[in-house]
Coordinates of all heavy atoms in Angstrom, one line a residue:
P2 N 114.6 139.4 83.2 CA 113.3 139.9 83.6 C 112.9 139.2 84.9 O 113.4 138.1 85.2 CB 112.3 139.5 82.5 CG 113.1 138.5 81.7 CD 114.5 138.7 81.9
D8 N 105.5 128.9 88.3 CA 106.5 128.3 89.3 C 107.4 127.2 88.6 O 108.2 126.6 89.3 CB 105.9 127.9 90.6 CG 104.7 127.0 90.4 OD1 104.4 126.7 89.2 OD2 104.0 126.7 91.3
D34 N 118.2 101.8 89.6 CA 118.6 103.2 90.0 C 118.2 103.4 91.4 O 117.0 103.7 91.7 CB 118.1 104.2 89.1 CG 118.7 105.6 89.3 OD1 118.6 106.1 90.5 OD2 119.3 106.2 88.4
P57 N 108.6 111.9 83.9 CA 109.2 113.1 83.5 C 108.3 114.4 83.7 O 108.8 115.5 83.8 CB 109.4 113.0 81.9 CG 109.2 111.5 81.7 CD 108.4 110.9 82.8
E76 N 83.6 107.4 81.5 CA 83.5 108.9 81.7 C 84.3 109.3 82.9 O 84.3 108.6 83.9 CB 82.1 109.3 81.8 CG 81.8 110.7 81.5 CD 80.3 111.0 81.1 OE1 79.5 111.3 82.0 OE2 80.0 110.9 79.9
D124 N 72.9 102.3 82.1 CA 72.0 102.4 81.0 C 72.9 102.3 79.8 O 73.9 103.0 79.7 CB 71.3 103.8 81.1 CG 70.5 104.1 79.9 OD1 70.7 103.6 78.8 OD2 69.6 105.0 80.0
C134 N 88.4 113.2 89.1 CA 89.8 113.8 89.3 C 89.6 115.2 90.0 O 88.8 116.0 89.5 CB 90.4 114.1 87.9 SG 91.0 112.6 87.1
D218 N 102.3 99.0 89.6 CA 102.9 98.0 88.7 C 102.3 98.2 87.3 O 103.1 98.2 86.3 CB 102.6 96.6 89.2 CG 103.4 96.2 90.4 OD1 104.4 96.9 90.7 OD2 103.1 95.2 91.1
A244 N 114.8 118.6 97.2 CA 113.7 119.5 97.4 C 112.8 119.1 98.5 O 112.3 120.0 99.3 CB 112.9 119.6 96.1
A259 N 102.8 136.2 97.2 CA 101.6 136.2 96.4 C 100.6 137.2 97.0 O 100.0 138.0 96.3 CB 101.0 134.8 96.2
I282 N 99.6 131.6 93.8 CA 99.0 132.0 92.5 C 98.1 133.2 92.7 O 97.3 133.3 93.6 CB 98.3 130.9 91.8 CG1 99.2 129.7 91.5 CG2 97.7 131.4 90.5 CD1 98.5 128.5 90.9
T299 N 102.7 145.7 78.8 CA 103.2 146.9 79.6 C 104.2 146.4 80.7 O 105.3 147.0 80.9 CB 102.1 147.6 80.2 OG1 101.2 148.1 79.2 CG2 102.6 148.8 81.1
K302 N 107.6 145.5 79.3 CA 108.4 146.7 79.1 C 109.2 147.1 80.4 O 110.2 147.7 80.3 CB 107.6 147.8 78.5 CG 107.2 147.6 77.1 CD 106.6 148.8 76.4 CE 106.1 148.4 75.0 NZ 104.7 148.8 74.8
R316 N 97.6 136.1 85.2 CA 98.1 135.2 86.2 C 99.6 135.6 86.6 O 100.4 135.8 85.7 CB 98.0 133.8 85.8 CG 98.3 132.8 87.0 CD 98.3 131.4 86.6 NE 99.6 131.0 85.9 CZ 100.0 129.8 85.7 NH1 99.3 128.8 86.1 NH2 101.2 129.5 85.2
Q332 N 106.3 145.8 93.1 CA 105.4 146.7 93.8 C 105.6 148.2 93.3 O 104.7 148.9 93.1 CB 105.7 146.7 95.3 CG 105.1 145.4 96.0 CD 105.7 145.2 97.4 OE1 106.8 145.5 97.7 NE2 104.8 144.6 98.3

Side-chain angles (χ1 to χ4, degrees):
D8 45 7
D34 191 303
E76 203 158 88
D124 173 336
C134 289
D218 285 347
I282 300 179
T299 299
K302 287 189 185 129
R316 188 183 80 162
Q332 285 167 327

